[in-house]
């Protein structure tokens, strides 16, 4: 089952919520729609569900245009951010709702709901009312309710938004397992890049109603198409350089001029892992002091300050940090092993497709 | 109609169109039609009829019937009664609401129930309990008689009965408002050195002023329009103990249609003014709330 | 505090207690003879029957009005909204007077209805009409805030599960409205049961036929039979308290599903 959006736009009055979005979701995929709030991702989800009608463009399911198919006939499962459980119905009746609408025989409803209750670890809770459940249980009921009529696609709007941090982690893992078991095409909306990276097969990144990039978590992290994506996914150091004496410079740092004329400006970005540091002050070309150390578990994030006052962020494994005998305030030498050009001079407002400049492609988790 | 259907829900499209959770256009139109028709026939038509009947024999007949001495004294009595009852119930309402909303004490639930009581007791029964107290055969009847004080079948009885039926209005309007406000602002004022009275005057009262006005308007409308309770205690002495609603009944019984409707038109005007003020107040309150809300985020920025 | 208690006692409690003491002085047999006389029983039947019908009419039309006022935007909506309170603002005597006139043989509506055999003025039908009028705002005003705060997501969820509009209303919206609807119904019913002024004008006021309970009380009072009037009043008071308690229970029930 594939879902396709062809140049879909949506306007609310004079406000443009989604602009010219085209994307395809293949059968059995687990896709994240990621972006800052107000980016249009929820509107895209609602259009796929049929809760909003595109202002222009086509929405296709299995190659058929479904723009005019009402929400009731689309056979989608939708999980709302607030879960929208029916307060006056028991857990059982909530899950059975879609089956009852479809006039499923009672015996079949019983079997299906029992099966789902078991699958979702909700055994024995069938007669409870929604307000008697915990946040995590409510969410599972909401997903079970959406899945009960065997929808062709499961849509989730900020599925982990309403639960606290600890449960959120469990739920993420649970959703991945669930998807592996049921293999139903799943699209979810999130503003949390970490969540998108961890859960999905592919990420669709939105900003201000536009689609910025589609790709696997690794692709969007390692090959961000533009500065927005690069900055939104993970941490990015950004420098604005000027071409001077045949090199792109900012204070003591210098980079190749990339054939740009004198006086031209250039923005580059690089991930923290691209900054390599050493206790040996002769080992790398530049000098800096460790201003701040943030403990993130096995990894540490360091804030470096160069003599001219530039602040750069880098990461280092804890063992390496200790082996080198580093601490806050230590002087180090560093180099930038890889970076990408985000934009040049005149068109700095519309980031062009960046190209990677590095000797070796370096892989690392986030 | 047909045009509307083919074009789809026109009204819905320009705002958030929530497809699949909206009724088809023609269903909406039917529902709106029923609602408007019902209110039109059931509420507007009776109102228009009051004026139509009052002016059935022309303007001069209308004026003339309003100038009947008994009708004029009925108007005066009605104004007098509401002039006494509204301030008394205003004071009571504010104090009772304050006590209920800001303090915890035993019997609070009972007090709230008691405040609501006149709403759930038939006006005729309300009137009756005063007759039992102060009437000739009542508890205090003989004693009052000996002192030559008349309450029942006299103005004091009318005032008392009106007090009873109108006293929930102000308190009822204020209790939820004061409860919602909480006591943070008041406590802040107290820590700044304000006395209890200053706090009440400068902090509590201004924050509920619209609700207060609203309660007063409703209280006044009921005070002027009360029929059942007043009817029991009044004695229906034309020119003496007849309020405007009772006067209407008398005129109606005497088949003086124009005169009855003329008197009724005065109360209908009162109702319209009440509605107008109420609508205006609600709008005031809404805009003030909206302003308050748009204020707070900007104040956070600095 | 002291003031409000004193005021309450003076205006409410003492007179009310007086009434009850007076009635308790009656012998039980006398009480039953008066309070459950044929005339009184006929009046109770009419009062509660007509009030029930009026409240039921308001439950249906009030739900419709509340729905239209909260869900649709159309010209004149605000006026319609304001008009709903009209029966609260209009003295009941005026309401009775104009309704009786409107539906009489020569009235604006009566001239069409009477030839069709629909007699609403000076009949029990008229009583229902008047009671419907005076209790109209209750259902609308109790339902409106509930409908305004109703989560649209619930209706969307039903739609994504395949439910059509009517089905969504019946299975999702209506059950959520039910407690408020019943509260509104009870309030309207309570108001109708106690109503006197408007009915006086539109009813033919015949004992056993078209006489409501407050009229029975007035009847005894006119004959200076205070004890009898009080006996009937006590029955009405008990009914009022029963309704009051019902409303409280309903409100507690309604809060059951919150959070």
């Amino acid at each position: 089952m594939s879902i396709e959006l062809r140049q879909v736009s949506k306007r609310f009055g004079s406000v443009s919520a989604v602009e010219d979005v085209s994307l395809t979701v293949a059968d059995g995929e687990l896709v994240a729609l990621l972006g800052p709030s107000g980016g249009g991702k929820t509107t895209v989800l609602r259009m796929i569900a049929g809760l909003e009608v595109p202002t222009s463009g086509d929405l296709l399911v299995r190659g058929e245009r479904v723009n005019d198919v009402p929400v009731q006939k689309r056979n989608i499962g939708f999980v709302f951010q607030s879960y929208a459980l029916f307060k006056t119905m028991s857990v059982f009746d909530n899950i059975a709702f879609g089956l009852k609408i479809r006039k499923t025989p009672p015996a079949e409803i019983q079997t299906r709901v029992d099966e789902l209750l078991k699958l979702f670890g909700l055994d024995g809770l069938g007669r409870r009312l929604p307000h008697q459940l915990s946040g995590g249980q409510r969410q599972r009921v909401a997903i079970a309710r959406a899945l009960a009529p065997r929808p062709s696609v499961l849509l989730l709007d900020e599925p982990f938004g309403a639960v606290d941090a600890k449960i959120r982690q469990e739920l993420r893992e649970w959703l991945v397992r669930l998807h592996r078991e049921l293999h139903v095409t799943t699209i979810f909306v999130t503003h949390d890049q970490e969540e998108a990276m961890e859960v999905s097969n592919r990420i669709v990144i939105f900003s201000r109603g536009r689609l910025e990039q589609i790709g696997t978590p690794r692709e969007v992290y390692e090959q961000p198409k533009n500065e927005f994506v690069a900055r939104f996914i993970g941490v990015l150091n950004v420098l604005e350089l000027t071409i001077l004496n045949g090199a792109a410079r900012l204070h003591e740092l210098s980079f190749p001029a990339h054939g740009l004329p004198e006086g031209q400006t250039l923005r580059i970005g690089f991930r923290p892992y691209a900054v390599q540091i050493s206790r040996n002050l002769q080992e790398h070309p530049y000098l800096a002091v460790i201003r701040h150390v943030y403990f993130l578990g096995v990894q540490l994030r360091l804030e470096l300050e160069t003599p001219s006052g530039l602040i750069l962020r880098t990461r280092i494994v804890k063992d390496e940090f200790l082996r080198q005998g580093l601490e806050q305030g230590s002087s180090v030498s560093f180099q930038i092993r890889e970076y990408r050009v985000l934009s040049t001079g005149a068109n700095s407002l519309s980031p062009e497709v960046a190209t990677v400049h590095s000797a070796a492609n370096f892989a690392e988790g986030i | 109609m047909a045009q509307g259907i083919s074009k789809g829900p026109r009204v819905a499209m320009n705002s958030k169109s929530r497809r699949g959770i909206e009724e088809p256009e023609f269903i909406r139109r039917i529902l709106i039609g029923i609602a408007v028709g019902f209110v039109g026939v059931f509420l507007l038509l009776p109102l228009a009829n009051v004026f139509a009947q009052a002016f059935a024999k022309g303007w001069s007949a209308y004026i003339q019937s309003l100038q009947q001495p008994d009708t004029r004294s009925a108007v005066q009595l009605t104004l007098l009664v509401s002039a006494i009852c509204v301030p008394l119930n205003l004071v009571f309402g504010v104090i009772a609401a304050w006590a209920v909303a800001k303090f915890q004490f035993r019997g609070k639930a009972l007090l709230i129930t008691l405040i609501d009581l006149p709403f759930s007791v038939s006006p005729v029964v309300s009137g009756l309990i005063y007759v039992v107290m102060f009437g000739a055969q009542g508890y205090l009847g003989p004693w009052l008689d000996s002192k030559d004080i008349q309450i029942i079948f006299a103005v004091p009885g009318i005032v008392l009965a009106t007090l009873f039926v109108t006293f929930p209005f102000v308190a009822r309007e204020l209790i939820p408002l004061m409860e919602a406000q909480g006591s943070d602002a008041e406590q802040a004022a107290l820590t700044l050195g304000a006395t209890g009275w200053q706090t009440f005057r400068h902090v509590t009262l201004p924050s509920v002023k619209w609700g207060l006005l609203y309660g007063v308007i409703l209280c006044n409308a009921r005070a002027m329009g009360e029929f059942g309770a007043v009817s029991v205690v009044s004695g229906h002495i034309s020119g003496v103990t007849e309020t405007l609603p009772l006067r209407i009944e008398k005129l109606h019984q005497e088949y003086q249609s124009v005169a009855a409707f003329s008197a009724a038109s005065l109360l209908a005007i009162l109702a319209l003014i009440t509605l107008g003020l109420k609508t205006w107040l609600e709008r005031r309150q809404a805009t003030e709330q909206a302003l308050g809300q748009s204020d707070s985020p900007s104040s956070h920025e600095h | 505090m002291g003031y409000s208690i004193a005021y309450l006692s003076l205006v409410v409690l003492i007179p009310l207690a007086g009434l009850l003491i007076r009635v308790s002085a009656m012998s039980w047999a006398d009480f039953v003879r008066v309070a459950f006389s044929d005339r009184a029983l006929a009046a109770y039947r009419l009062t509660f029957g007509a009030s029930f019908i009026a409240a039921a009419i308001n439950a249906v039309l009030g739900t419709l009005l509340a729905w239209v006022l909260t869900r649709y935007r159309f010209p004149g909506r605000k006026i319609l909204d304001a008009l709903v309170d009209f029966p609260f603002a209009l003295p009941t005597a005026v309401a009775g007077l104009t309704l009786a006139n409107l539906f009489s043989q020569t009235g604006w509506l009566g001239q069409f209805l009477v030839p069709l055999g629909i007699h609403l003025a000076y009949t029990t039908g008229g009583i229902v009409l008047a009671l419907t009028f005076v209790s109209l705002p209750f259902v609308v005003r109790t339902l409106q805030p509930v409908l305004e705060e109703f989560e649209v997501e619930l209706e969307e969820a039903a739609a994504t599960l395949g439910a059509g509009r009517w089905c969504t209303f019946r299975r999702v919206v209506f059950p959520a409205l039910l407690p408020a609807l019943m509260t509104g119904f009870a309030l309207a019913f309570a108001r109708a049961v106690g109503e006197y002024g408007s009915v006086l004008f539109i009813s033919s006021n015949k004992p056993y036929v078209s006489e409501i309970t407050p009229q029975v009380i007035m009847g005894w009072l006119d004959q200076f039979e205070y004890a009898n009037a009080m006996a009937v009043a006590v029955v009405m008071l008990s009914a009022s308290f029963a309704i009051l308690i019902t409303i409280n229970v309903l409100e507690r029930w309604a809060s059951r599903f919150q959070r």
Side-chain angles (χ1 to χ4, degrees):
Chain A
M1 214 290 309
S2 65
I3 295 168
E4 196 182 343
L5 273 72
R6 283 188 197 156
Q7 295 169 328
V8 168
S9 297
K10 174 70 186 174
R11 305 177 70 81
F12 293 114
S14 60
V15 184
S16 174
V18 173
E19 265 179 78
D20 201 23
V21 166
S22 299
L23 74 102
T24 310
V25 178
D27 208 355
E29 265 196 299
L30 176 49
V31 171
L33 305 185
L34 173 67
S37 49
K41 52 200 193 307
T42 297
T43 309
V44 169
L45 198 74
R46 290 172 60 88
M47 283 194 286
I48 297 172
L51 292 167
E52 305 284 0
V53 192
T55 313
S56 64
D58 294 326
L59 198 74
L60 296 98
V61 174
R62 282 200 202 92
E64 253 175 79
R65 190 174 182 274
V66 295
N67 284 39
D68 301 317
V69 178
V71 51
Q72 285 90 350
K73 300 258 185 290
R74 288 206 188 177
N75 194 29
I76 44 98
F78 200 105
V79 178
F80 292 82
Q81 189 173 3
S82 62
Y83 308 148
L85 295 179
F86 305 132
K87 293 188 183 78
T88 50
M89 293 183 205
S90 66
V91 168
F92 185 96
D93 288 335
N94 262 285
I95 300 176
F97 187 85
L99 299 167
K100 281 184 188 157
I101 297 294
R102 285 165 175 76
K103 308 242 182 322
T104 314
E108 219 173 291
I109 293 180
Q110 184 74 42
T111 326
R112 176 70 175 149
V113 176
D114 284 345
E115 177 194 26
L116 284 164
L117 285 172
K118 198 162 196 180
L119 178 66
F120 283 71
L122 295 164
D123 312 74
L125 299 178
R127 301 178 76 165
R128 295 253 185 113
L129 286 169
H131 71 97
Q132 298 168 315
L133 300 178
S134 71
Q137 286 170 335
R138 280 184 212 177
Q139 195 208 29
R140 278 178 279 160
V141 173
I143 298 179
R145 181 180 69 179
L147 286 174
R150 302 183 195 279
S152 50
V153 55
L154 180 64
L155 307 174
L156 304 103
D157 187 5
E158 295 276 4
F160 311 112
V163 288
D164 52 54
K166 198 168 171 334
I167 304 172
R168 200 177 304 162
Q169 186 56 38
E170 286 168 25
L171 283 171
R172 284 181 197 169
E173 287 160 18
W174 174 80
L175 184 67
V176 173
R177 272 202 310 276
L178 184 80
H179 179 256
R180 206 178 295 143
E181 271 174 54
L182 301 177
H183 230 77
V184 58
T185 313
T186 305
I187 304 175
F188 74 100
V189 157
T190 179
H191 63 266
D192 182 341
Q193 46 104 0
E194 210 175 302
E195 196 168 283
M197 302 284 269
E198 194 175 319
V199 176
S200 66
N201 310 141
R202 276 206 303 158
I203 300 180
V204 182
I205 298 165
F206 287 92
S207 122
R208 282 187 240 139
R210 293 186 166 278
L211 195 153
E212 301 285 355
Q213 187 172 3
I214 310 179
T216 63
R218 186 163 170 178
E219 277 165 5
V220 295
Y221 184 73
E222 289 178 357
Q223 291 142 42
K225 273 191 176 166
N226 54 41
E227 185 175 342
F228 173 81
V229 174
R231 298 189 114 174
F232 195 73
I233 304 282
V235 181
L236 187 76
N237 293 298
V238 176
L239 298 176
E240 189 159 331
L241 312 169
T242 312
I243 311 294
L244 215 69
N245 303 328
R249 297 174 200 275
L250 177 65
H251 304 301
E252 62 268 60
L253 305 183
S254 69
F255 299 86
H258 295 284
L260 293 167
E262 288 287 305
Q264 177 76 278
T265 59
L266 163 79
R267 278 160 78 82
I268 64 159
F270 48 93
R271 298 282 183 204
Y273 68 74
V275 181
Q276 204 172 18
I277 61 170
S278 169
R279 190 78 222 242
N280 179 352
L281 300 182
Q282 263 71 56
E283 190 170 347
H284 299 306
Y286 308 118
L287 292 178
V289 174
I290 300 176
R291 273 281 162 250
H292 234 290
V293 181
Y294 299 94
F295 285 86
L296 308 171
V298 206
Q299 287 218 345
L300 305 176
R301 200 174 90 209
L302 308 180
E303 217 173 80
L304 304 180
E305 189 178 348
T306 66
S308 62
L310 282 173
I311 303 286
L312 299 175
R313 282 165 296 180
T314 179
R315 279 187 182 224
I316 188 168
V317 185
K318 195 167 80 185
D319 293 347
E320 175 69 13
F321 185 78
L322 295 173
R323 196 183 55 77
Q324 290 205 33
L326 292 168
E327 58 184 9
Q328 197 157 310
S330 301
S331 291
V332 291
S333 66
F334 74 93
Q335 66 161 337
I336 296 156
R337 291 185 309 179
E338 90 177 35
Y339 65 92
R340 67 192 61 234
V341 176
L342 300 171
S343 58
T344 55
N347 55 355
S348 65
L349 284 175
S350 54
E352 65 176 26
V353 174
T355 27
V356 189
H357 302 278
S358 68
N361 216 333
F362 190 85
E364 187 205 41
I366 334 147
Chain B
M1 249 336 249
Q3 192 191 18
I5 293 165
S6 63
K7 278 189 178 167
R10 189 191 55 219
V11 190
M13 287 302 279
N14 50 28
S15 66
K16 268 196 179 174
S17 99
R18 293 180 182 275
R19 234 197 166 185
I21 66 144
E22 278 166 344
E23 291 78 49
E25 178 76 359
F26 75 99
I27 299 271
R28 292 164 156 262
R29 291 192 183 207
I30 290 171
L31 292 180
I32 293 173
I34 296 173
V36 171
F38 175 58
V39 170
V41 170
F42 209 57
L43 300 181
L44 269 187
L45 215 54
L47 175 67
N49 191 45
V50 171
F51 294 100
Q53 299 299 324
F55 292 109
K57 296 205 174 107
W59 175 258
S60 56
Y62 176 75
I63 295 294
Q64 216 169 0
S65 54
L66 285 185
Q67 279 172 342
Q68 288 181 14
D70 289 351
T71 303
R72 290 180 65 168
S73 76
V75 171
Q76 279 160 9
L77 180 58
T78 294
L79 291 175
L80 174 72
V81 168
S82 93
I84 298 171
C85 292
V86 173
L88 278 176
N89 278 331
L90 169 66
V91 173
F92 165 77
V94 171
I95 292 173
W98 201 50
V100 166
K102 308 287 176 183
F103 302 105
Q104 294 298 328
F105 52 89
R106 291 174 68 188
K108 183 168 155 173
L110 186 72
L111 182 65
I112 297 171
T113 312
L114 281 176
I115 290 171
D116 273 350
L117 193 72
F119 275 157
S120 46
V121 172
S122 170
V124 170
V125 176
S126 316
L128 179 66
I129 61 178
Y130 287 98
V131 174
V132 173
M133 276 308 284
F134 305 110
Q137 296 180 20
Y139 289 99
L140 300 175
W143 180 78
L144 288 169
D145 229 18
S146 69
K147 294 265 184 292
D148 213 20
I149 302 172
Q150 205 179 1
I151 289 183
I152 298 307
F153 305 142
V155 175
I158 296 174
V159 170
L160 276 174
T162 308
L163 268 183
F164 181 90
V165 294
T166 56
F167 88 65
F169 286 97
V170 175
R172 255 238 142 152
E173 215 47 62
L174 289 187
I175 289 171
L177 272 180
M178 285 192 176
E179 271 178 349
Q181 240 118 38
S183 40
D184 288 357
E186 269 123 34
Q187 279 166 6
L190 289 174
T191 60
L192 293 169
T195 64
W197 169 246
Q198 283 171 325
T199 306
F200 180 75
R201 249 208 69 194
H202 295 290
V203 180
T204 314
L205 220 43
S207 64
V208 296
K209 61 181 177 220
W210 300 122
L212 191 72
L213 257 172
Y214 188 39
V216 166
I217 289 167
L218 292 180
C219 179
N220 179 61
R222 184 71 193 268
M224 290 190 171
E226 178 51 28
F227 184 86
V230 172
S231 173
V232 176
V233 296
S234 135
H236 302 264
I237 308 161
S238 293
V240 184
T241 62
E242 244 176 23
T243 61
L244 202 46
L246 298 179
R247 181 73 197 146
I248 294 170
E249 189 204 0
K250 177 81 60 77
L251 290 167
H252 175 68
Q253 282 168 352
E254 292 167 357
Y255 298 103
Q256 296 194 47
S257 174
V258 169
F261 274 101
S262 302
S265 74
L266 296 180
L267 289 174
I269 290 167
L270 167 76
L272 286 176
I273 293 171
T274 304
L275 273 193
L277 279 174
K278 179 185 165 292
T279 311
W280 177 75
L281 274 177
E282 275 169 353
R283 199 164 302 169
R284 260 322 271 273
Q285 211 169 358
T287 46
E288 218 158 88
Q289 258 164 21
L291 281 176
Q293 270 159 16
S294 67
D295 262 5
S296 47
S298 66
S299 63
H300 279 301
E301 278 170 16
H302 299 284
Chain C
M1 255 310 289
Y3 169 81
S4 50
I5 296 285
Y7 188 91
L8 263 175
S9 319
L10 203 71
V11 180
V12 183
L13 282 183
I14 295 172
L16 207 57
L19 178 81
L20 293 176
I21 291 166
R22 239 6 221 294
V23 170
S24 65
M26 280 175 94
S27 80
W28 181 247
D30 279 348
F31 175 77
V32 171
R33 189 176 46 75
V34 177
F36 299 102
S37 64
D38 287 347
R39 186 179 170 188
L41 284 175
Y44 298 150
R45 254 196 305 277
L46 179 62
T47 308
F48 290 105
S51 299
F52 189 87
I53 297 170
I57 293 172
N58 276 329
V60 176
L61 287 169
T63 307
L64 189 146
L65 262 174
W67 181 269
V68 167
L69 286 173
T70 49
R71 289 305 174 90
Y72 304 150
R73 294 291 172 268
F74 53 95
R77 188 185 66 93
K78 288 209 167 126
I79 298 171
L80 200 67
D81 195 19
L83 272 174
V84 168
D85 281 331
F86 187 57
F88 278 163
L90 191 73
T92 57
V94 180
L97 180 74
T98 179
L99 282 173
N101 180 277
L102 211 52
F103 288 94
S104 72
Q105 207 155 3
T106 53
W108 285 354
L109 293 171
Q111 58 181 319
F112 304 113
L113 295 175
V114 172
L116 296 173
I118 304 171
H119 297 269
L120 286 175
Y122 315 115
T123 60
T124 42
I127 296 176
V128 172
L129 198 76
L131 296 182
T132 308
F133 182 91
V134 298
S135 60
L136 173 86
F138 287 101
V139 173
V140 184
R141 292 298 183 229
T142 41
L143 281 186
Q144 253 179 327
V146 182
L147 267 173
E148 249 153 39
E149 279 164 28
F150 194 81
E151 285 175 75
V152 191
E153 282 82 10
L154 291 176
E155 289 170 61
E156 291 181 342
T160 62
L161 291 166
R165 259 337 257 165
W166 173 242
C167 182
T168 303
F169 180 80
R170 204 163 47 88
R171 293 191 188 217
V172 176
V173 182
F174 187 73
L177 292 185
L178 194 60
L181 180 61
M182 287 173 75
T183 305
F185 178 89
L187 288 169
F189 182 69
R191 175 78 173 87
V193 165
E195 177 55 19
Y196 171 68
S198 60
V199 175
L200 191 65
F201 286 86
I202 205 166
S203 159
S204 52
N205 307 319
K206 288 196 202 89
Y208 301 98
V209 180
S210 56
E211 191 183 53
I212 56 166
T213 316
Q215 284 170 315
V216 175
I217 298 175
M218 286 302 273
W220 287 123
L221 274 177
D222 286 344
Q223 299 167 36
F224 299 99
E225 295 281 2
Y226 287 0
N228 293 355
M230 283 184 279
V232 179
V234 164
V235 174
M236 281 209 77
L237 266 178
S238 317
S240 302
F241 280 120
I243 300 169
L244 201 66
I245 290 166
T246 311
I247 293 170
N248 276 329
V249 170
L250 279 175
E251 272 167 2
R252 204 158 302 167
W253 181 55
S255 63
R256 187 170 64 118
F257 298 114
Q258 309 296 308
R259 293 285 106 192

